[in-house]
Amino acid sequence: MWFATIFRRKPATTEPPLFDEAFLRRLERLSLQAQRTLRGTPIVGQHPSRQQMPATIFNDHRPYVHGDDPRYLDWHAYARQEHLLVRLGEIEQEVAVSVIVDTSRSMVTGEPARLRLALRLAGAIGYLALAHGDQVTVMAGAQATPIFGPARGKALAVSLFRNLRAIEPEGHTDLAQAAQQVAQRRPQGGLALLISDLLTPAPIETLAQRLPAPRWQVMVLHLLSQAEIEPDLHGPLELVDSETGERLALDLDDETHAAYRAAAQAWRAAITQRCASHGMAYAPVMVDWPLERQIIPFLRLRRFLG
């Protein structure tokens, strides 16, 4: 009955909160690094865009035309050149942020389980987007509709955290369906984040097809455990695939370990290369890293956060 033991829901009283208030206050000092090429809603958000409009804080000029607001005329330039020029500046925009959380069986294997970290990362990034005026949608597992959003406003963070804590592991994650839902709900594009162990079939190619650049800026957080990179297993064993249930009998000697390490390294290198070829940001994250002291600084170095 190991299956029932793993998937038995814990009483709500034993579930610790995703974050404390002090962490959230510190988190608000950061922001998601959205590309300027994304098309969002002007004025609402805090991300720079390529669109320029008359502004008091400016980086360029254009000639005055009848009907322009006189508040944006550059009188200093007029005094020097005797030409009416309008100040132009980059406007700030709201960006749609879509988070896809892998909830397949492999996400609850190991210690600590990847799913707990995935929910915390989804909550932190979702809160950050809500706090900065962005629209947030969260897709999870094989569900055809979002578990949260689309919504904006920091006041909805409590609902976001509650819905994330209610997520339970499923047999598989339908990444193609989740990405398609994201694309259909926001045809003009936005920022999409996948949090996964990347054990689903062709995850990078699926995202690239459903959420193509440059309309979409895709970020991939790859959750890894030390047991995957350097397994501490020896002797004759029967391994069970956590996704498919397939069984494999092995005798884990030094030669088998060396072959596994080479294959795992090649797999990770291939993921890195495929993400780069499709213009996706990629960050491998170890599940035993502390969120605030190690993962957040690491994501800043990787330009996921600023």
Side-chain angles (χ1 to χ4, degrees), residues 78-108:
Y78 176 75
R80 295 192 305 270
Q81 304 177 24
E82 297 186 356
H83 292 291
L84 286 175
L85 298 174
V86 177
R87 297 164 175 258
L88 293 179
E90 291 181 343
I91 62 172
E92 293 182 331
Q93 64 177 351
E94 161 265 343
V95 169
V97 177
S98 303
V99 182
I100 302 173
V101 182
D102 185 351
T103 63
S104 54
R105 288 189 187 126
S106 59
M107 292 289 286
V108 294

PDB file of all heavy atoms in Angstrom, residues 78-108:
ATOM      1  N   TYR A  78      13.469  74.140 -27.315  1.00  0.00           N
ATOM      2  CA  TYR A  78      12.899  75.193 -28.159  1.00  0.00           C
ATOM      3  C   TYR A  78      13.742  76.472 -28.057  1.00  0.00           C
ATOM      4  O   TYR A  78      13.979  77.162 -29.055  1.00  0.00           O
ATOM      5  CB  TYR A  78      11.460  75.476 -27.738  1.00  0.00           C
ATOM      6  CG  TYR A  78      10.829  76.621 -28.488  1.00  0.00           C
ATOM      7  CD1 TYR A  78      10.408  76.470 -29.807  1.00  0.00           C
ATOM      8  CD2 TYR A  78      10.662  77.870 -27.878  1.00  0.00           C
ATOM      9  CE1 TYR A  78       9.831  77.526 -30.499  1.00  0.00           C
ATOM     10  CE2 TYR A  78      10.093  78.924 -28.557  1.00  0.00           C
ATOM     11  CZ  TYR A  78       9.674  78.750 -29.872  1.00  0.00           C
ATOM     12  OH  TYR A  78       9.110  79.801 -30.560  1.00  0.00           O
ATOM     13  N   ALA A  79      14.220  76.779 -26.843  1.00  0.00           N
ATOM     14  CA  ALA A  79      15.027  77.981 -26.656  1.00  0.00           C
ATOM     15  C   ALA A  79      16.344  77.895 -27.425  1.00  0.00           C
ATOM     16  O   ALA A  79      16.869  78.908 -27.893  1.00  0.00           O
ATOM     17  CB  ALA A  79      15.304  78.197 -25.168  1.00  0.00           C
ATOM     18  N   ARG A  80      16.873  76.673 -27.585  1.00  0.00           N
ATOM     19  CA  ARG A  80      18.147  76.506 -28.292  1.00  0.00           C
ATOM     20  C   ARG A  80      17.951  76.413 -29.806  1.00  0.00           C
ATOM     21  O   ARG A  80      18.747  76.930 -30.572  1.00  0.00           O
ATOM     22  CB  ARG A  80      18.869  75.238 -27.787  1.00  0.00           C
ATOM     23  CG  ARG A  80      19.312  75.304 -26.331  1.00  0.00           C
ATOM     24  CD  ARG A  80      20.258  74.154 -26.012  1.00  0.00           C
ATOM     25  NE  ARG A  80      19.664  72.856 -26.330  1.00  0.00           N
ATOM     26  CZ  ARG A  80      18.944  72.127 -25.472  1.00  0.00           C
ATOM     27  NH1 ARG A  80      18.722  72.595 -24.240  1.00  0.00           N
ATOM     28  NH2 ARG A  80      18.450  70.964 -25.821  1.00  0.00           N
ATOM     29  N   GLN A  81      16.868  75.733 -30.250  1.00  0.00           N
ATOM     30  CA  GLN A  81      16.727  75.416 -31.667  1.00  0.00           C
ATOM     31  C   GLN A  81      15.554  76.119 -32.349  1.00  0.00           C
ATOM     32  O   GLN A  81      15.443  76.072 -33.571  1.00  0.00           O
ATOM     33  CB  GLN A  81      16.552  73.895 -31.833  1.00  0.00           C
ATOM     34  CG  GLN A  81      17.676  73.087 -31.211  1.00  0.00           C
ATOM     35  CD  GLN A  81      17.417  71.589 -31.332  1.00  0.00           C
ATOM     36  OE1 GLN A  81      16.684  71.151 -32.209  1.00  0.00           O
ATOM     37  NE2 GLN A  81      18.029  70.822 -30.436  1.00  0.00           N
ATOM     38  N   GLU A  82      14.661  76.693 -31.535  1.00  0.00           N
ATOM     39  CA  GLU A  82      13.452  77.341 -32.051  1.00  0.00           C
ATOM     40  C   GLU A  82      12.574  76.356 -32.825  1.00  0.00           C
ATOM     41  O   GLU A  82      11.908  76.708 -33.797  1.00  0.00           O
ATOM     42  CB  GLU A  82      13.806  78.553 -32.935  1.00  0.00           C
ATOM     43  CG  GLU A  82      14.530  79.656 -32.185  1.00  0.00           C
ATOM     44  CD  GLU A  82      14.742  80.892 -33.034  1.00  0.00           C
ATOM     45  OE1 GLU A  82      14.379  80.851 -34.222  1.00  0.00           O
ATOM     46  OE2 GLU A  82      15.265  81.881 -32.494  1.00  0.00           O
ATOM     47  N   HIS A  83      12.588  75.104 -32.378  1.00  0.00           N
ATOM     48  CA  HIS A  83      11.685  74.082 -32.916  1.00  0.00           C
ATOM     49  C   HIS A  83      10.953  73.445 -31.738  1.00  0.00           C
ATOM     50  O   HIS A  83      11.562  73.165 -30.695  1.00  0.00           O
ATOM     51  CB  HIS A  83      12.449  72.989 -33.683  1.00  0.00           C
ATOM     52  CG  HIS A  83      13.073  73.483 -34.956  1.00  0.00           C
ATOM     53  ND1 HIS A  83      12.339  73.861 -36.061  1.00  0.00           N
ATOM     54  CD2 HIS A  83      14.370  73.659 -35.282  1.00  0.00           C
ATOM     55  CE1 HIS A  83      13.156  74.244 -37.027  1.00  0.00           C
ATOM     56  NE2 HIS A  83      14.405  74.143 -36.574  1.00  0.00           N
ATOM     57  N   LEU A  84       9.649  73.231 -31.925  1.00  0.00           N
ATOM     58  CA  LEU A  84       8.881  72.572 -30.880  1.00  0.00           C
ATOM     59  C   LEU A  84       9.111  71.064 -30.958  1.00  0.00           C
ATOM     60  O   LEU A  84       8.856  70.435 -31.987  1.00  0.00           O
ATOM     61  CB  LEU A  84       7.389  72.882 -31.027  1.00  0.00           C
ATOM     62  CG  LEU A  84       6.967  74.298 -30.629  1.00  0.00           C
ATOM     63  CD1 LEU A  84       5.492  74.514 -30.930  1.00  0.00           C
ATOM     64  CD2 LEU A  84       7.237  74.536 -29.145  1.00  0.00           C
ATOM     65  N   LEU A  85       9.602  70.513 -29.847  1.00  0.00           N
ATOM     66  CA  LEU A  85       9.863  69.084 -29.767  1.00  0.00           C
ATOM     67  C   LEU A  85       9.102  68.500 -28.584  1.00  0.00           C
ATOM     68  O   LEU A  85       8.959  69.139 -27.536  1.00  0.00           O
ATOM     69  CB  LEU A  85      11.364  68.812 -29.591  1.00  0.00           C
ATOM     70  CG  LEU A  85      12.272  69.295 -30.733  1.00  0.00           C
ATOM     71  CD1 LEU A  85      13.735  69.084 -30.347  1.00  0.00           C
ATOM     72  CD2 LEU A  85      11.953  68.563 -32.026  1.00  0.00           C
ATOM     73  N   VAL A  86       8.629  67.279 -28.749  1.00  0.00           N
ATOM     74  CA  VAL A  86       7.900  66.568 -27.700  1.00  0.00           C
ATOM     75  C   VAL A  86       8.833  65.545 -27.072  1.00  0.00           C
ATOM     76  O   VAL A  86       9.541  64.810 -27.773  1.00  0.00           O
ATOM     77  CB  VAL A  86       6.654  65.864 -28.273  1.00  0.00           C
ATOM     78  CG1 VAL A  86       5.942  65.053 -27.182  1.00  0.00           C
ATOM     79  CG2 VAL A  86       5.694  66.885 -28.866  1.00  0.00           C
ATOM     80  N   ARG A  87       8.855  65.552 -25.734  1.00  0.00           N
ATOM     81  CA  ARG A  87       9.656  64.558 -25.012  1.00  0.00           C
ATOM     82  C   ARG A  87       9.021  63.176 -25.177  1.00  0.00           C
ATOM     83  O   ARG A  87       7.813  63.018 -24.998  1.00  0.00           O
ATOM     84  CB  ARG A  87       9.700  64.875 -23.508  1.00  0.00           C
ATOM     85  CG  ARG A  87      10.358  66.200 -23.146  1.00  0.00           C
ATOM     86  CD  ARG A  87       9.979  66.540 -21.717  1.00  0.00           C
ATOM     87  NE  ARG A  87      10.656  67.725 -21.222  1.00  0.00           N
ATOM     88  CZ  ARG A  87      11.709  67.698 -20.409  1.00  0.00           C
ATOM     89  NH1 ARG A  87      12.189  66.535 -20.014  1.00  0.00           N
ATOM     90  NH2 ARG A  87      12.281  68.801 -19.991  1.00  0.00           N
ATOM     91  N   LEU A  88       9.843  62.161 -25.460  1.00  0.00           N
ATOM     92  CA  LEU A  88       9.377  60.778 -25.545  1.00  0.00           C
ATOM     93  C   LEU A  88      10.096  59.947 -24.498  1.00  0.00           C
ATOM     94  O   LEU A  88      11.298  60.113 -24.274  1.00  0.00           O
ATOM     95  CB  LEU A  88       9.666  60.179 -26.926  1.00  0.00           C
ATOM     96  CG  LEU A  88       8.907  60.765 -28.117  1.00  0.00           C
ATOM     97  CD1 LEU A  88       9.347  60.060 -29.396  1.00  0.00           C
ATOM     98  CD2 LEU A  88       7.405  60.632 -27.923  1.00  0.00           C
ATOM     99  N   GLY A  89       9.362  59.059 -23.861  1.00  0.00           N
ATOM    100  CA  GLY A  89       9.956  58.162 -22.866  1.00  0.00           C
ATOM    101  C   GLY A  89       9.321  56.793 -22.949  1.00  0.00           C
ATOM    102  O   GLY A  89       8.211  56.635 -23.467  1.00  0.00           O
ATOM    103  N   GLU A  90      10.037  55.782 -22.468  1.00  0.00           N
ATOM    104  CA  GLU A  90       9.487  54.433 -22.433  1.00  0.00           C
ATOM    105  C   GLU A  90       8.390  54.355 -21.383  1.00  0.00           C
ATOM    106  O   GLU A  90       8.580  54.773 -20.242  1.00  0.00           O
ATOM    107  CB  GLU A  90      10.576  53.410 -22.099  1.00  0.00           C
ATOM    108  CG  GLU A  90      11.597  53.216 -23.194  1.00  0.00           C
ATOM    109  CD  GLU A  90      12.633  52.173 -22.820  1.00  0.00           C
ATOM    110  OE1 GLU A  90      12.722  51.862 -21.614  1.00  0.00           O
ATOM    111  OE2 GLU A  90      13.329  51.693 -23.712  1.00  0.00           O
ATOM    112  N   ILE A  91       7.237  53.822 -21.784  1.00  0.00           N
ATOM    113  CA  ILE A  91       6.152  53.658 -20.827  1.00  0.00           C
ATOM    114  C   ILE A  91       6.313  52.316 -20.119  1.00  0.00           C
ATOM    115  O   ILE A  91       6.936  51.384 -20.638  1.00  0.00           O
ATOM    116  CB  ILE A  91       4.781  53.731 -21.520  1.00  0.00           C
ATOM    117  CG1 ILE A  91       4.642  52.589 -22.534  1.00  0.00           C
ATOM    118  CG2 ILE A  91       4.575  55.076 -22.169  1.00  0.00           C
ATOM    119  CD1 ILE A  91       3.253  52.477 -23.103  1.00  0.00           C
ATOM    120  N   GLU A  92       5.783  52.217 -18.925  1.00  0.00           N
ATOM    121  CA  GLU A  92       5.804  50.959 -18.201  1.00  0.00           C
ATOM    122  C   GLU A  92       4.551  50.171 -18.530  1.00  0.00           C
ATOM    123  O   GLU A  92       3.504  50.743 -18.853  1.00  0.00           O
ATOM    124  CB  GLU A  92       5.902  51.211 -16.697  1.00  0.00           C
ATOM    125  CG  GLU A  92       7.235  51.834 -16.296  1.00  0.00           C
ATOM    126  CD  GLU A  92       7.347  52.030 -14.800  1.00  0.00           C
ATOM    127  OE1 GLU A  92       6.302  52.224 -14.154  1.00  0.00           O
ATOM    128  OE2 GLU A  92       8.469  51.987 -14.283  1.00  0.00           O
ATOM    129  N   GLN A  93       4.666  48.844 -18.466  1.00  0.00           N
ATOM    130  CA  GLN A  93       3.549  48.012 -18.859  1.00  0.00           C
ATOM    131  C   GLN A  93       3.368  46.844 -17.904  1.00  0.00           C
ATOM    132  O   GLN A  93       4.287  46.428 -17.210  1.00  0.00           O
ATOM    133  CB  GLN A  93       3.760  47.476 -20.281  1.00  0.00           C
ATOM    134  CG  GLN A  93       4.961  46.562 -20.430  1.00  0.00           C
ATOM    135  CD  GLN A  93       5.097  45.996 -21.819  1.00  0.00           C
ATOM    136  OE1 GLN A  93       4.209  46.144 -22.662  1.00  0.00           O
ATOM    137  NE2 GLN A  93       6.202  45.331 -22.094  1.00  0.00           N
ATOM    138  N   GLU A  94       2.140  46.332 -17.900  1.00  0.00           N
ATOM    139  CA  GLU A  94       1.819  45.094 -17.199  1.00  0.00           C
ATOM    140  C   GLU A  94       2.119  43.930 -18.124  1.00  0.00           C
ATOM    141  O   GLU A  94       1.880  44.000 -19.326  1.00  0.00           O
ATOM    142  CB  GLU A  94       0.345  45.099 -16.800  1.00  0.00           C
ATOM    143  CG  GLU A  94      -0.234  43.726 -16.477  1.00  0.00           C
ATOM    144  CD  GLU A  94      -0.942  43.093 -17.686  1.00  0.00           C
ATOM    145  OE1 GLU A  94      -1.264  43.810 -18.646  1.00  0.00           O
ATOM    146  OE2 GLU A  94      -1.150  41.870 -17.647  1.00  0.00           O
ATOM    147  N   VAL A  95       2.685  42.845 -17.575  1.00  0.00           N
ATOM    148  CA  VAL A  95       2.999  41.652 -18.354  1.00  0.00           C
ATOM    149  C   VAL A  95       2.215  40.480 -17.779  1.00  0.00           C
ATOM    150  O   VAL A  95       2.114  40.323 -16.562  1.00  0.00           O
ATOM    151  CB  VAL A  95       4.517  41.364 -18.316  1.00  0.00           C
ATOM    152  CG1 VAL A  95       4.828  39.989 -18.882  1.00  0.00           C
ATOM    153  CG2 VAL A  95       5.279  42.436 -19.088  1.00  0.00           C
ATOM    154  N   ALA A  96       1.658  39.647 -18.668  1.00  0.00           N
ATOM    155  CA  ALA A  96       0.957  38.446 -18.218  1.00  0.00           C
ATOM    156  C   ALA A  96       1.984  37.384 -17.833  1.00  0.00           C
ATOM    157  O   ALA A  96       2.850  37.020 -18.636  1.00  0.00           O
ATOM    158  CB  ALA A  96       0.057  37.919 -19.327  1.00  0.00           C
ATOM    159  N   VAL A  97       1.916  36.910 -16.590  1.00  0.00           N
ATOM    160  CA  VAL A  97       2.839  35.898 -16.076  1.00  0.00           C
ATOM    161  C   VAL A  97       2.059  34.598 -15.889  1.00  0.00           C
ATOM    162  O   VAL A  97       1.090  34.555 -15.125  1.00  0.00           O
ATOM    163  CB  VAL A  97       3.468  36.342 -14.747  1.00  0.00           C
ATOM    164  CG1 VAL A  97       4.377  35.249 -14.188  1.00  0.00           C
ATOM    165  CG2 VAL A  97       4.241  37.648 -14.929  1.00  0.00           C
ATOM    166  N   SER A  98       2.478  33.548 -16.585  1.00  0.00           N
ATOM    167  CA  SER A  98       1.820  32.240 -16.503  1.00  0.00           C
ATOM    168  C   SER A  98       2.800  31.227 -15.928  1.00  0.00           C
ATOM    169  O   SER A  98       3.907  31.070 -16.441  1.00  0.00           O
ATOM    170  CB  SER A  98       1.345  31.784 -17.887  1.00  0.00           C
ATOM    171  OG  SER A  98       0.471  32.729 -18.462  1.00  0.00           O
ATOM    172  N   VAL A  99       2.386  30.553 -14.855  1.00  0.00           N
ATOM    173  CA  VAL A  99       3.245  29.571 -14.179  1.00  0.00           C
ATOM    174  C   VAL A  99       2.645  28.184 -14.388  1.00  0.00           C
ATOM    175  O   VAL A  99       1.460  27.968 -14.131  1.00  0.00           O
ATOM    176  CB  VAL A  99       3.361  29.876 -12.677  1.00  0.00           C
ATOM    177  CG1 VAL A  99       4.297  28.876 -12.001  1.00  0.00           C
ATOM    178  CG2 VAL A  99       3.850  31.303 -12.451  1.00  0.00           C
ATOM    179  N   ILE A 100       3.451  27.255 -14.872  1.00  0.00           N
ATOM    180  CA  ILE A 100       3.027  25.866 -15.061  1.00  0.00           C
ATOM    181  C   ILE A 100       3.792  25.003 -14.061  1.00  0.00           C
ATOM    182  O   ILE A 100       5.026  24.973 -14.069  1.00  0.00           O
ATOM    183  CB  ILE A 100       3.304  25.379 -16.494  1.00  0.00           C
ATOM    184  CG1 ILE A 100       2.586  26.276 -17.514  1.00  0.00           C
ATOM    185  CG2 ILE A 100       2.864  23.923 -16.662  1.00  0.00           C
ATOM    186  CD1 ILE A 100       2.945  25.969 -18.949  1.00  0.00           C
ATOM    187  N   VAL A 101       3.054  24.318 -13.181  1.00  0.00           N
ATOM    188  CA  VAL A 101       3.673  23.505 -12.127  1.00  0.00           C
ATOM    189  C   VAL A 101       3.499  22.027 -12.454  1.00  0.00           C
ATOM    190  O   VAL A 101       2.377  21.552 -12.668  1.00  0.00           O
ATOM    191  CB  VAL A 101       3.043  23.811 -10.750  1.00  0.00           C
ATOM    192  CG1 VAL A 101       3.738  22.993  -9.658  1.00  0.00           C
ATOM    193  CG2 VAL A 101       3.133  25.291 -10.431  1.00  0.00           C
ATOM    194  N   ASP A 102       4.598  21.308 -12.497  1.00  0.00           N
ATOM    195  CA  ASP A 102       4.582  19.856 -12.702  1.00  0.00           C
ATOM    196  C   ASP A 102       4.140  19.194 -11.399  1.00  0.00           C
ATOM    197  O   ASP A 102       4.751  19.397 -10.343  1.00  0.00           O
ATOM    198  CB  ASP A 102       5.992  19.407 -13.094  1.00  0.00           C
ATOM    199  CG  ASP A 102       6.073  17.925 -13.445  1.00  0.00           C
ATOM    200  OD1 ASP A 102       5.092  17.190 -13.224  1.00  0.00           O
ATOM    201  OD2 ASP A 102       7.134  17.503 -13.939  1.00  0.00           O
ATOM    202  N   THR A 103       3.076  18.376 -11.457  1.00  0.00           N
ATOM    203  CA  THR A 103       2.589  17.683 -10.256  1.00  0.00           C
ATOM    204  C   THR A 103       2.586  16.168 -10.455  1.00  0.00           C
ATOM    205  O   THR A 103       1.831  15.461  -9.801  1.00  0.00           O
ATOM    206  CB  THR A 103       1.167  18.151  -9.888  1.00  0.00           C
ATOM    207  OG1 THR A 103       0.263  17.804 -10.954  1.00  0.00           O
ATOM    208  CG2 THR A 103       1.123  19.647  -9.655  1.00  0.00           C
ATOM    209  N   SER A 104       3.426  15.673 -11.355  1.00  0.00           N
ATOM    210  CA  SER A 104       3.451  14.236 -11.628  1.00  0.00           C
ATOM    211  C   SER A 104       4.088  13.464 -10.476  1.00  0.00           C
ATOM    212  O   SER A 104       4.657  14.039  -9.554  1.00  0.00           O
ATOM    213  CB  SER A 104       4.202  13.969 -12.937  1.00  0.00           C
ATOM    214  OG  SER A 104       5.486  14.548 -12.895  1.00  0.00           O
ATOM    215  N   ARG A 105       3.993  12.133 -10.540  1.00  0.00           N
ATOM    216  CA  ARG A 105       4.444  11.292  -9.426  1.00  0.00           C
ATOM    217  C   ARG A 105       5.906  11.504  -9.076  1.00  0.00           C
ATOM    218  O   ARG A 105       6.298  11.448  -7.911  1.00  0.00           O
ATOM    219  CB  ARG A 105       4.218   9.816  -9.784  1.00  0.00           C
ATOM    220  CG  ARG A 105       2.767   9.391  -9.786  1.00  0.00           C
ATOM    221  CD  ARG A 105       2.676   7.883  -9.939  1.00  0.00           C
ATOM    222  NE  ARG A 105       1.289   7.478 -10.116  1.00  0.00           N
ATOM    223  CZ  ARG A 105       0.861   6.750 -11.128  1.00  0.00           C
ATOM    224  NH1 ARG A 105       1.711   6.347 -12.052  1.00  0.00           N
ATOM    225  NH2 ARG A 105      -0.414   6.410 -11.225  1.00  0.00           N
ATOM    226  N   SER A 106       6.739  11.725 -10.093  1.00  0.00           N
ATOM    227  CA  SER A 106       8.168  11.883  -9.813  1.00  0.00           C
ATOM    228  C   SER A 106       8.461  13.110  -8.964  1.00  0.00           C
ATOM    229  O   SER A 106       9.523  13.198  -8.346  1.00  0.00           O
ATOM    230  CB  SER A 106       8.948  11.981 -11.126  1.00  0.00           C
ATOM    231  OG  SER A 106       8.499  13.079 -11.899  1.00  0.00           O
ATOM    232  N   MET A 107       7.520  14.051  -8.907  1.00  0.00           N
ATOM    233  CA  MET A 107       7.729  15.271  -8.126  1.00  0.00           C
ATOM    234  C   MET A 107       7.578  15.028  -6.623  1.00  0.00           C
ATOM    235  O   MET A 107       7.890  15.914  -5.827  1.00  0.00           O
ATOM    236  CB  MET A 107       6.762  16.354  -8.584  1.00  0.00           C
ATOM    237  CG  MET A 107       7.022  16.866  -9.987  1.00  0.00           C
ATOM    238  SD  MET A 107       8.522  17.869 -10.101  1.00  0.00           S
ATOM    239  CE  MET A 107       7.962  19.387  -9.310  1.00  0.00           C
ATOM    240  N   VAL A 108       7.081  13.863  -6.218  1.00  0.00           N
ATOM    241  CA  VAL A 108       6.937  13.578  -4.782  1.00  0.00           C
ATOM    242  C   VAL A 108       7.899  12.493  -4.322  1.00  0.00           C
ATOM    243  O   VAL A 108       7.808  12.016  -3.193  1.00  0.00           O
ATOM    244  CB  VAL A 108       5.489  13.193  -4.424  1.00  0.00           C
ATOM    245  CG1 VAL A 108       4.560  14.358  -4.621  1.00  0.00           C
ATOM    246  CG2 VAL A 108       5.021  11.993  -5.239  1.00  0.00           C
TER     247      VAL A 108
END
